[in-house]
Amino acid sequence: MSLAAISLAAPVLAAPLLGAAAVAQPAAGTTACPKPQPGRFAVMGTGNRGSGAAATPTAHLLEERWLPDGTVRGTAAERQGRSERSGSYSGALSVTAACVVELERRLPWGVERTEVVLDGRGRPLYSISRSPGAVITSRWLPMGKGSCSEGQLDGLVISQQSGLSWQGKAWVPNAVVQREQWRSGSVEGIALISTNGMGETVRYSGSLQLKPSSCWGELQERDSQGNSYRYKALVVSGHKRSGARGYFYLQRDPDDLTVGWLVRD
């Protein structure tokens, strides 16, 4: 059962183009492209690498900063099948005539290219991988400034998510609906689960420990049947007075591959 379930040398990048010159000039009679807004973002993606029988399910979490000069800095955690990897990266972005952001990341495991669509205020909302062999889409959420604390999640958190579980020699679908209560880094919750068409309901408890001066942490949970689970968590910080918006997590157990967006009420 699954309660959740998702740094190679590279050529020098072209000069970044985030400033006014980066925004492509529209044709006469069309609306100007929104200028990409510098900021800090949480990104959750899922999909596959490879094709056909060789396709490998993939999921990732990113904490990414878009800087005013058009450069990018970030931290990534990724699952590929039953394996995982993580690291810091850099990159750059530019804007096309179609008002799409072209983003190049230099990750520890290689260069990846992504195209991002912006809302009317220039904030990234969704993206798709343009790296050969990858079919991966991601959603983006803005993050507040500064580090996070476990207490920012205090209160009710709910989620709906889907992923994959390894059974025998194949990945099978799973889906989970959760309702949980947080207090000072401890969680108590209930999960409604379906794995390959078989349903169950379990209660669970756990704790989150964030890294110092960070919004990344490790979440450990144990259910009422005695099963243990591990997750990489990224708290999506909001305004300090109102606490976090929720958190992304990526399951670390090899036989369960799911990312989730758990929304604070």
Side-chain angles (χ1 to χ4, degrees):
M1 152 261 172
S2 167
L3 295 182
I6 227 195
S7 289
L8 299 186
V12 176
L13 296 174
L17 297 173
L18 182 57
V23 181
Q25 295 301 313
T30 63
T31 302
C33 298
K35 182 179 178 180
Q37 293 300 303
R40 180 187 184 197
F41 307 99
V43 186
M44 179 184 79
T46 184
N48 290 279
R49 295 188 188 276
S51 60
T56 301
T58 299
H60 64 231
L61 299 182
L62 309 172
E63 180 189 10
E64 185 162 290
R65 299 172 192 270
W66 288 9
L67 304 178
D69 65 355
T71 59
V72 169
R73 297 289 184 272
T75 302
E78 182 176 276
R79 281 284 305 272
Q80 281 203 104
R82 302 180 73 247
S83 63
E84 62 178 314
R85 57 192 184 183
S86 62
S88 299
Y89 63 90
S90 60
L93 57 84
S94 61
V95 183
T96 71
C99 298
V100 171
V101 170
E102 292 185 337
L103 175 61
E104 184 173 88
R105 299 185 179 109
R106 296 192 299 265
L107 291 146
W109 45 88
V111 174
E112 293 190 354
R113 294 174 175 83
T114 296
E115 290 187 334
V116 187
V117 292
L118 308 176
D119 68 8
R121 288 186 283 176
R123 299 173 302 181
L125 289 185
Y126 302 102
S127 62
I128 190 166
S129 175
R130 291 307 191 194
S131 294
V135 181
I136 301 169
T137 58
S138 301
R139 66 173 300 181
W140 298 60
L141 293 172
M143 293 181 67
K145 297 179 180 180
S147 59
C148 299
S149 67
E150 293 87 349
Q152 288 178 301
L153 289 174
D154 285 1
L156 176 64
V157 174
I158 55 176
S159 73
Q160 170 272 321
Q161 61 217 250
S162 59
L164 298 168
S165 296
W166 182 257
Q167 290 188 352
K169 297 182 179 180
W171 291 99
V172 299
N174 68 48
V176 186
V177 172
Q178 292 169 257
R179 187 180 195 275
E180 53 189 38
Q181 290 282 345
W182 281 87
R183 183 177 181 182
S184 302
S186 295
V187 63
E188 300 277 348
I190 186 169
L192 315 180
I193 306 159
S194 178
T195 303
N196 204 24
M198 300 295 293
E200 60 179 330
T201 299
V202 299
R203 293 190 176 276
Y204 60 92
S205 61
S207 62
L208 171 67
Q209 176 144 15
L210 295 178
K211 296 180 180 179
S213 303
S214 174
C215 290
W216 288 94
E218 299 291 333
L219 175 60
Q220 306 278 342
E221 292 180 346
R222 188 174 184 85
D223 70 18
S224 52
Q225 300 175 356
N227 300 306
S228 298
Y229 305 93
R230 301 180 303 144
Y231 308 92
K232 181 81 72 174
L234 175 59
V235 175
V236 182
S237 58
H239 297 295
K240 293 295 184 181
R241 287 179 294 178
S242 58
R245 301 180 62 188
Y247 65 102
F248 283 146
Y249 69 13
L250 172 63
Q251 190 155 9
R252 301 189 62 202
D253 304 296
D255 289 342
D256 289 302
L257 193 162
T258 306
V259 283
W261 166 226
L262 293 94
V263 186
R264 184 168 173 266
D265 189 29

